[in-house]
Amino acid sequence: MTSPDINKTNKEIIKQMIFSRAQARVLYKPIGDLALSIVNATSECIQEIKPFLPQSSDHQQRADKMLLEMLATFEITGFFFHLMDKQAYQSFDLGVRSIIQDVIYPIVYPVIVDSFVGHWPEKYKLKIKDDFIAQINDSELHYARCQKLITQSEKFDENVLIPTLSQRIFGIIGYSTEWDSLSETNKNLASMIQTLVYQALEKMQLVKLVEDAWPAILTMKQEYSPNVFEQINIEATRLENEANHASRRTAKRKQHQRYFGEKIG
């Protein structure tokens, strides 16, 4: 890919990159792969957990269930973020971890939030995004204390990462967070959550994803302004919306032409 002239304005760089999207996708694919892996792993886990959330035909309780699902989704996303950060630190260093965070977080959280409230006005979505970030930060404080990923025991253990995730999910959905007070059904659910998350993590191949993403992130950081991806997404979305509006206008005009043509004929 031909690198844009760094002396150009951001707007010109954005236009050049949009016009070279196919090439940009190849160069930055590892970044997208890492972000998408977190979204997919989170989605796969929450889809299996959803049937165990409180069920009701009542409208308010259905809304409450969506809130619980959303908060559980945020928690699982935070778990995978933590592991991404940890892997970045282990593979590289603290500075690299911070840079990867700055690139991946803004790609992932709008996708997660919009999957629940994408149709809401932006001013309301901003509050949900703030809640998402607050929960991610709270999760990080808990997960950072953990010394191990998993143990043979399935009991809740605040020193072990995956059991801590299942315990926090239980707290979100209103179940006891004390292992000895759980019913056998809920113990089985906790064990299922831990198995799901572990399997999703194995499938991700997180070490490779992080190590492949870093060279692409480094290239982006060296060649473009720090917020260029955000600007590209905004500009690309605007252009796509304009194209969609134009397409709808064209289709509507053709419908009118056919209608009036048939009437005249």
Side-chain angles (χ1 to χ4, degrees):
M1 175 183 175
T2 303
S3 299
D5 182 348
I6 59 173
N7 293 319
K8 290 184 176 182
T9 64
N10 273 346
K11 188 172 183 180
E12 289 171 324
I13 291 173
I14 291 165
K15 286 182 178 178
Q16 183 176 339
M17 288 192 68
I18 289 171
F19 292 139
S20 302
R21 264 186 173 185
Q23 293 171 302
R25 283 196 196 101
V26 173
L27 180 59
Y28 297 117
K29 184 176 183 297
I31 299 173
D33 288 345
L34 176 55
L36 184 61
S37 73
I38 293 173
V39 172
N40 285 344
T42 299
S43 177
E44 289 171 9
C45 292
I46 202 65
Q47 290 305 315
E48 296 293 332
I49 296 170
K50 274 173 65 173
F52 298 94
L53 297 176
Q55 304 286 329
S56 176
S57 58
D58 177 78
H59 176 75
Q60 181 57 47
Q61 291 190 14
R62 285 202 307 273
D64 292 343
K65 180 183 177 182
M66 190 197 83
L67 176 61
L68 295 181
E69 181 186 337
M70 182 167 64
L71 294 177
T73 300
F74 291 176
E75 187 64 38
I76 296 170
T77 307
F79 169 84
F80 287 118
F81 273 161
H82 170 77
L83 288 177
M84 178 194 74
D85 295 345
K86 190 178 181 69
Q87 187 57 54
Y89 176 70
Q90 290 176 344
S91 294
F92 303 103
D93 58 38
L94 190 62
V96 169
R97 185 189 76 170
S98 177
I99 294 169
I100 290 178
Q101 284 178 348
D102 290 344
V103 173
I104 300 299
Y105 280 29
I107 296 173
V108 171
Y109 78 74
V111 177
I112 297 293
V113 170
D114 284 355
S115 68
F116 291 97
V117 296
H119 58 292
W120 285 16
E122 192 61 30
K123 64 179 180 179
Y124 298 123
K125 284 199 291 184
L126 288 174
K127 174 63 170 64
I128 301 297
K129 289 176 181 177
D130 288 344
D131 292 342
F132 173 89
I133 293 170
Q135 187 169 338
I136 295 298
N137 291 336
D138 182 67
S139 298
E140 179 62 26
L141 291 175
H142 282 79
Y143 296 144
R145 303 172 191 159
C146 298
Q147 303 299 313
K148 299 179 181 178
L149 177 66
I150 199 165
T151 63
Q152 294 298 317
S153 172
E154 295 170 331
K155 292 184 178 181
F156 296 147
D157 186 339
E158 291 187 354
N159 293 311
V160 186
L161 193 56
I162 291 181
T164 296
L165 168 64
S166 62
Q167 183 181 39
R168 284 176 63 84
I169 290 175
F170 267 44
I172 287 169
I173 61 182
Y175 296 156
S176 173
T177 57
E178 299 295 328
W179 183 267
D180 292 339
S181 67
L182 293 180
S183 66
E184 283 304 311
T185 298
N186 282 352
K187 286 180 180 178
N188 290 335
L189 173 58
S191 299
M192 184 199 79
I193 292 172
Q194 294 178 40
T195 300
L196 282 171
V197 171
Y198 185 74
Q199 290 174 342
L201 183 59
E202 281 196 317
K203 181 179 175 183
M204 285 174 75
Q205 298 184 333
L206 192 59
V207 175
K208 185 176 187 305
L209 286 167
V210 170
E211 292 182 351
D212 287 351
W214 172 238
I217 291 172
L218 186 60
T219 299
M220 180 273 293
K221 181 177 173 60
Q222 291 172 340
E223 295 190 356
Y224 312 117
S225 65
N227 65 340
V228 73
F229 273 151
E230 181 181 356
Q231 291 176 286
I232 288 170
N233 287 335
I234 291 170
E235 183 69 8
T237 300
R238 184 187 67 77
L239 293 174
E240 287 168 1
N241 287 340
E242 285 183 0
N244 289 336
H245 287 317
S247 177
R248 285 195 291 269
R249 285 196 300 269
T250 300
K252 194 169 184 178
R253 186 166 59 250
K254 287 181 178 179
Q255 287 179 341
H256 287 172
Q257 288 173 344
R258 284 197 300 270
Y259 174 78
F260 288 111
E262 289 170 1
K263 286 290 186 180
I264 293 171

